[in-house]
Amino acid sequence: METLLSKHWHTISSKDALRYLETDDEKGLDRFAVKKRQNHFGQNVISTQKKQHPFYLFIRQFHQSLVYILIAAGAVTLFLQEWVEATFIFGVVIVNAVISFLQEYKAVTAMAALAETMKAEATVIRAGKQERIDAKDLVPGDLVRLQGGDKVPADLRMIEIHDLRIDESALTGESIPVDKQAGQMEHGLGLALADRVNMAYASTLATYGRGLGLVVAIGDKTEVGRISRLVAGATEIQTPLTRKIAQFSRYLLVAILVLAALTFTVGLSRGEPFFDMFLAAVALAVGAIPEGMPAAITIMLAIGVSRMAKRNSIIRKLPAVETLGGTTIICSDKTGTLTKNQMTVQEIHTIDGRYTLSGTGYAPEGAVQPASPENPDDENSRALAQCLACGILCNDSRLLQKPGNWEIDGDPTEGALIVSAAKAGMGHDEMQAAHPREDELPFDSGRQYMATLNRDMASDKHRIHAKGSVESILEQCTAAMTATGEIIPIDRETVFAAAGDMAARGLRVLAFAQSESLGENVAEGMPNEIRDLVFLGLQAMMDPPRDNSAAAIATCHRAGILVKMITGDHALTAGAIAGRLGMIDDTADDSSHTRTGEQLAAMSDEELMVAAEESTVFARVSPEQKLHLVEALQANAHVVAMTGDGVNDAPALRQADIGVAMGKNGTEVAKEASDMVLLNDNFATIVSAVEEGRGVFDNLIKFIVWTLPTNLGEGLVILAAVVFGVTLPILPIQILWINMSTALLLGMMLAFEPREPDIMTRAPRDPGLPILDTQMVFRIFFVGILMLIGGFGLFELAEWRGFAVERARTIAVNVFIFIEIFYLFNCRSLKQSVFRIGFFSNPLAFAGVGVMIALQVVYTYFPPANRVFQSAPISLGDWVSILVFSAVVFGLVEAVKARLRKKNARATV
């Protein structure tokens, strides 16, 4: 039995499937067989991964290089009984750990969401009786009845079909419900999931008709269970920011240890006391560590999260904010992401006219208009009116107005027909009341059409209305109606040519016809077969692109970001949508921009990497292939954002550098596997999120370039004091004061810098480059050396003038603080002049400076602060020298920026 469950069930007959599973086609399984199989196969549920204990998650937050440095420095300061310094250091470590823990505790719970999709009831036939049971109690071999509105409870091989249609969009990406059939599939082994029309899969939804299916897979063995394993196996990779910060931290760790060891060794070689040199080495380590950087990065990312929430983007993981800014490729699902997932009639063809319809989606807003002036006026076209009326009367669905939107109760295709008629002023309820249905021929996959018998209440006459595939309807037609209502012989070649043109553009085409009047009474009702119909017209529909999708894609292209479509839908439909959105040149005679799942399956890993890079549209792909495409692009050194809304998107969403799920129409599985959720399901929102992400990264770099010169300068001051054998100009407690107070009051103000105007015309950052380029590294060393000159020089000058060491150190501390204040305005733009971007464009920068100056006054003149920090009051002359030197630093940095602007301008000419 276990080996039988691995069969390709769509390739065998229903009779053989029943025989393999030892199931009676009328009575189903007996109670003994059910019990035995439940013991063997277990419950019809998806396994969930055991979650990590919260304590483990919390402890894991300390596993970072910078945190190790801080903990070591804190331990040393405790050993030296420097209680204030230790409190400062350990406070920073704990705050960072708590913030990171709270973010991770909300992490991926996609397995639980997948299990939720399996919770349902099922109508089953057992021991010859029909009963309703919990779907988790199903076993392979059970007979399950489905009807419109039921969620499919397990993977079923359909053995009996009555006009059954199933919406599989969440699993396959197919934009319209699939007509199911019970026959054996020819050439079935290579068929994509969406083409296996004799199968029904767990978690999909029956929208119309009824059927009987044989359970062939339950729980983890179902297609949705297989996706569950893919989600579990997808690697949750580090973001570019976390990778670069980790690498930067390792370099910083080595540099700090080398400098500390050098300081200690030089001091001992000069005959200095061991304890004093150990204290100096600790002071250098504390000075070189950017204590405020982890907290500042976390807070800056959180501010980015808040900004994005105002633009309809909810960030589930903090680093995703920055990752968006570094995105090089967006892989987007089609159905429900780039499109509305609402079928809309785009064109109508009659025998002598072509019409276009404005408006998209289910809202009955828009108009039916002639495609060219030569066409008859739409209000006077009899064929058009009858074609639209036929779409309403031969219809089992309803259009419902809900608060804020319109919805379809029934089949989306039929809903589109109701909306197209409404755009011409025809109301569904009024038409049905004026032409009540008295009989029908339901849609059948063999006939490929549906027909209804309606009574005209005004004339008390009957007429047959039919809709279906172009081939099946034309086979029943002998005539056609013109715009004036004249009945003429039908020209089938003209109709087929029009249908072929629309199908080639990715439109789904339905044909409509009606009978002549059947008189006042039709005692026999609807005939089993209908003949001699009058052709009315064709209605062609498509799931239309979302508003602003094309503009959003164009913005991505300007920003150097490639957009690729990865969908389970048909290649023709996907290519047509891609052409309308400007993703590909749909007029070019080149099929290389579109690849199918069948083509991808035949490729080697190397060929897949090439195809992933060169092609734009990937159609009819499976969940595994979506995942492999994302992996191939990442192997090509891309930072990949993946958007989606269905269960089938979840593995790729998790594997991507950033997974983006739809908030309104997306499945819970997709949301839980994602890093970001779009509240309005609008692809254009991704562009605004990318813009915010780039702004956040810009501001992070500004903060790093602003804060590191201080750490470098502090370390160099300590090293210089040891080398020259003089008193330490600043103490560890004073270094901690400088670093923590300025990081929060000055550096954090850079998080509120407005985005620079050219931010969305720059190319994406190369993910292989380090977090700081050579120009920024030069600036850090340049300003750090200026801080060394100012701090060490003014300290030595004060001692030479006979000032007390507390006063000299207070001067040195204020030199660092005020250089940081002036340098803050240099860093508000790393390349442009602060006067060019708007000197007063960030009011919070001035607020932070004001508070910082007030605190420095307290630090310098308030006696309790003097005792804690070993500071002392300074004179007006001291302040003048501090401010003059700080202003000189500001001018020198602006001069360096100006020179670099000229150099870069010459390089681009």
Side-chain angles (χ1 to χ4, degrees):
M1 178 71 72
E2 193 71 49
T3 57
L4 290 176
L5 296 188
S6 63
K7 280 185 173 292
H8 296 281
W9 292 99
H10 60 288
T11 66
I12 63 177
S13 68
S14 57
K15 183 177 180 180
D16 285 341
L18 287 163
R19 179 167 57 84
Y20 289 147
L21 291 173
E22 301 173 1
T23 302
D24 187 277
D25 61 348
E26 293 184 356
K27 295 182 179 180
L29 297 174
D30 60 38
R31 304 294 176 184
F32 176 77
V34 169
K35 185 67 176 176
K36 184 178 179 180
R37 295 185 188 194
Q38 284 177 338
N39 292 335
H40 181 74
F41 294 107
Q43 290 189 322
N44 179 31
V45 295
I46 290 180
S47 303
T48 57
Q49 287 183 312
K50 185 177 179 181
K51 293 185 177 180
Q52 294 176 334
H53 194 278
F55 179 74
Y56 172 78
L57 291 179
F58 180 72
I59 294 299
R60 198 169 67 182
Q61 308 311 315
F62 298 94
H63 183 50
Q64 301 175 43
S65 299
L66 275 180
V67 174
Y68 288 153
I69 300 172
L70 289 172
I71 292 174
V76 171
T77 52
L78 276 179
F79 175 76
L80 297 176
Q81 298 185 357
E82 300 289 348
W83 310 117
V84 177
E85 291 96 326
T87 301
F88 264 86
I89 294 172
F90 285 117
V92 170
V93 171
I94 292 172
V95 166
N96 275 309
V98 169
I99 292 174
S100 300
F101 165 74
L102 291 176
Q103 289 297 323
E104 188 165 352
Y105 194 61
K106 301 174 183 177
V108 179
T109 55
M111 297 308 98
L114 277 163
E116 287 295 320
T117 68
M118 295 293 290
K119 290 184 177 180
E121 289 188 337
T123 301
V124 65
I125 298 174
R126 286 177 175 171
K129 295 181 180 180
Q130 181 171 301
E131 55 186 290
R132 192 80 171 162
I133 66 169
D134 193 318
K136 74 176 189 295
D137 296 325
L138 287 173
V139 295
D142 265 327
L143 290 179
V144 174
R145 288 201 181 279
L146 288 179
Q147 61 181 12
D150 288 346
K151 177 183 279 190
V152 179
D155 284 2
L156 309 177
R157 169 62 168 88
M158 302 309 301
I159 60 177
E160 184 181 311
I161 295 291
H162 299 280
D163 311 317
L164 180 65
R165 298 175 195 165
I166 296 182
D167 180 358
E168 297 179 339
S169 59
L171 185 65
T172 67
E174 177 70 61
S175 57
I176 59 176
V178 178
D179 294 316
K180 293 297 179 177
Q181 63 184 47
Q184 181 178 347
M185 303 295 296
E186 295 183 5
H187 312 295
L189 290 178
L191 284 181
L193 210 63
D195 293 324
R196 300 174 188 176
V197 295
N198 57 6
M199 298 291 297
Y201 295 107
S203 82
T204 60
L205 182 68
T207 62
Y208 182 82
R210 54 193 174 87
L212 181 67
L214 176 68
V215 175
V216 296
I218 63 172
D220 291 338
K221 299 295 185 181
T222 62
E223 288 297 325
V224 73
R226 186 171 54 81
I227 294 175
S228 162
R229 296 192 297 276
L230 288 174
V231 174
T235 306
E236 193 168 351
I237 60 177
Q238 286 186 310
T239 69
L241 178 67
T242 56
R243 288 196 297 266
K244 290 173 182 176
I245 290 295
Q247 184 183 47
F248 174 76
S249 299
R250 288 192 293 270
Y251 292 155
L252 189 61
L253 173 62
V254 172
I256 290 171
L257 293 177
V258 168
L259 282 175
L262 180 63
T263 301
F264 186 74
T265 303
V266 169
L268 289 182
S269 67
R270 292 175 54 84
E272 301 290 343
F274 178 91
F275 183 81
D276 289 350
M277 290 305 95
F278 186 69
L279 180 63
V282 169
L284 185 144
V286 170
I289 295 171
E291 293 92 348
M293 192 167 75
I297 289 175
T298 301
I299 294 170
M300 280 184 155
L301 293 174
I303 292 170
V305 168
S306 177
R307 284 180 171 177
M308 287 185 179
K310 295 176 182 177
R311 302 180 74 171
N312 293 309
S313 304
I314 299 300
I315 298 294
R316 301 182 66 249
K317 302 170 187 176
L318 277 183
V321 179
E322 181 276 334
T323 309
L324 270 170
T327 298
T328 60
I329 285 183
I330 298 176
C331 295
S332 178
D333 185 36
K334 179 185 74 69
T335 305
T337 306
L338 289 170
T339 65
K340 290 190 171 186
N341 200 17
Q342 296 180 351
M343 295 300 290
T344 305
V345 175
Q346 308 274 302
E347 296 181 22
I348 298 176
H349 278 247
T350 64
I351 200 68
D352 56 0
R354 186 168 74 89
Y355 306 85
T356 59
L357 288 81
S358 58
T360 59
Y362 294 146
E365 300 168 354
V368 182
Q369 300 170 326
S372 63
E374 292 78 17
N375 284 339
D377 187 87
D378 57 359
E379 294 182 359
N380 300 324
S381 174
R382 179 70 175 164
L384 173 64
Q386 290 300 103
C387 181
L388 293 169
C390 184
I392 290 181
L393 298 175
C394 193
N395 197 310
D396 290 324
S397 301
R398 294 178 60 83
L399 178 65
L400 304 176
Q401 185 173 16
K402 299 292 182 70
N405 69 316
W406 293 81
E407 295 180 1
I408 293 298
D409 178 15
D411 186 83
T413 300
E414 291 190 332
L417 301 176
I418 298 173
V419 175
S420 69
K423 292 176 180 178
M426 295 183 184
H428 175 270
D429 294 342
E430 294 80 359
M431 286 292 295
Q432 292 280 6
H435 303 83
R437 183 184 304 183
E438 295 193 349
D439 203 354
E440 67 177 288
L441 277 179
F443 179 86
D444 179 84
S445 57
R447 278 193 304 266
Q448 288 293 308
Y449 67 81
M450 169 188 180
T452 61
L453 178 65
N454 299 85
R455 178 197 292 268
D456 185 339
M457 298 300 290
S459 64
D460 200 31
K461 293 182 179 181
H462 294 78
R463 181 169 278 121
I464 293 174
H465 298 88
K467 79 169 189 296
S469 69
V470 178
E471 294 82 1
S472 64
I473 291 296
L474 287 184
E475 187 177 341
Q476 318 306 322
C477 293
T478 57
M481 182 179 291
T482 67
T484 60
E486 182 183 358
I487 306 301
I488 63 173
I490 187 168
D491 181 355
R492 287 186 173 84
E493 290 186 4
T494 300
V495 177
F496 276 125
D501 173 68
M502 291 186 289
R505 289 183 279 120
L507 297 170
R508 187 187 186 210
V509 185
L510 291 179
F512 299 82
Q514 68 182 31
S515 68
E516 291 293 333
S517 173
L518 300 180
E520 298 180 1
N521 298 301
V522 184
E524 298 83 5
M526 175 72 75
N528 290 330
E529 291 188 10
I530 55 177
R531 298 287 185 213
D532 303 325
L533 297 183
V534 176
F535 174 74
L536 300 174
L538 306 172
Q539 294 199 48
M541 61 191 69
M542 177 185 279
D543 179 15
R546 287 186 174 275
D547 299 335
N548 302 324
S549 285
I553 290 171
T555 301
C556 287
H557 290 167
R558 286 195 298 273
I561 301 170
L562 299 176
V563 181
K564 297 181 182 291
M565 181 190 295
I566 305 179
T567 177
D569 213 340
H570 291 279
L572 204 59
T573 304
I577 290 291
R580 294 179 62 175
L581 291 173
M583 296 176 65
I584 59 176
D585 181 4
D586 56 352
T587 63
D589 185 19
D590 181 13
S591 59
S592 65
H593 53 58
T594 301
R595 305 280 183 147
T596 65
E598 185 177 359
Q599 292 172 322
L600 297 178
M603 293 180 181
S604 65
D605 290 344
E606 292 74 16
E607 290 171 332
L608 181 63
M609 290 176 63
V610 174
E613 189 77 27
E614 294 180 349
S615 300
T616 302
V617 178
F618 302 90
R620 230 41 171 172
V621 295
S622 67
E624 295 102 320
Q625 288 172 331
K626 289 188 178 186
L627 176 62
H628 295 329
L629 281 168
V630 171
E631 291 172 334
L633 290 168
Q634 289 171 333
N636 288 334
H638 284 291
V639 178
V640 182
M642 172 73 191
T643 74
D645 58 359
V647 174
N648 61 322
D649 298 317
L653 286 172
R654 179 151 186 194
Q655 174 65 35
D657 295 277
I658 177 163
V660 184
M662 303 298 113
K664 292 173 68 176
N665 294 321
T667 61
E668 287 304 311
V669 179
K671 294 175 190 175
E672 293 297 337
S674 68
D675 304 289
M676 184 176 87
V677 178
L678 303 183
L679 293 181
N680 59 359
D681 286 14
N682 194 334
F683 182 85
T685 305
I686 299 174
V687 178
S688 63
V690 168
E691 186 179 22
E692 289 291 351
R694 289 189 172 191
V696 168
F697 187 81
D698 256 15
N699 292 343
L700 279 173
I701 296 301
K702 291 173 185 176
F703 174 82
I704 292 171
V705 172
W706 171 83
T707 194
L708 288 185
T710 303
N711 302 111
L712 176 63
E714 291 164 343
L716 291 176
V717 163
I718 300 298
L719 180 60
V722 172
V723 169
F724 292 111
V726 298
T727 306
L728 293 181
I730 45 178
L731 298 174
I733 183 66
Q734 295 168 339
I735 291 173
L736 284 170
W737 166 258
I738 294 171
N739 292 351
M740 294 306 297
S741 63
T742 58
L744 294 176
L745 293 173
L746 300 180
M748 280 309 305
M749 300 306 106
L750 292 172
F752 302 96
E753 276 299 313
R755 295 180 300 276
E756 296 189 29
D758 66 339
I759 200 165
M760 287 303 286
T761 57
R762 306 173 190 167
R765 299 187 311 276
D766 184 343
L769 293 178
I771 197 167
L772 297 173
D773 61 25
T774 54
Q775 292 181 359
M776 295 304 105
V777 171
F778 168 79
R779 190 171 306 171
I780 289 168
F781 276 93
F782 179 67
V783 177
I785 291 170
L786 290 176
M787 286 186 168
L788 164 66
I789 294 170
F792 189 80
L794 290 181
F795 172 83
E796 288 299 315
L797 179 62
E799 284 215 314
W800 178 76
R801 294 171 64 187
F803 295 166
V805 67
E806 291 81 7
R807 180 177 174 181
R809 282 174 172 158
T810 303
I811 293 172
V813 168
N814 278 297
V815 167
F816 276 94
I817 294 288
F818 278 86
I819 289 178
E820 286 196 85
I821 288 175
F822 279 82
Y823 184 51
L824 176 71
F825 289 92
N826 293 128
C827 290
R828 288 185 54 206
S829 176
L830 296 178
K831 296 181 179 179
Q832 299 297 323
S833 166
V834 67
F835 301 104
R836 184 179 180 85
I837 66 169
F839 191 78
F840 299 100
S841 59
N842 184 1
L844 287 175
F846 291 91
V849 168
V851 175
M852 190 70 247
I853 291 173
L855 285 179
Q856 278 310 108
V857 171
V858 172
Y859 173 93
T860 305
Y861 297 105
F862 190 51
N866 297 151
R867 287 192 294 272
V868 171
F869 293 105
Q870 301 181 44
S871 60
I874 60 178
S875 68
L876 179 60
D878 298 329
W879 282 115
V880 170
S881 59
I882 291 168
L883 293 174
V884 168
F885 191 85
S886 300
V888 168
V889 172
F890 173 84
L892 289 173
V893 173
E894 285 298 313
V896 170
K897 287 165 63 178
R899 182 180 177 185
L900 288 175
R901 283 197 299 273
K902 292 180 180 178
K903 179 180 177 181
N904 292 336
R906 287 195 300 269
T908 57
V909 174

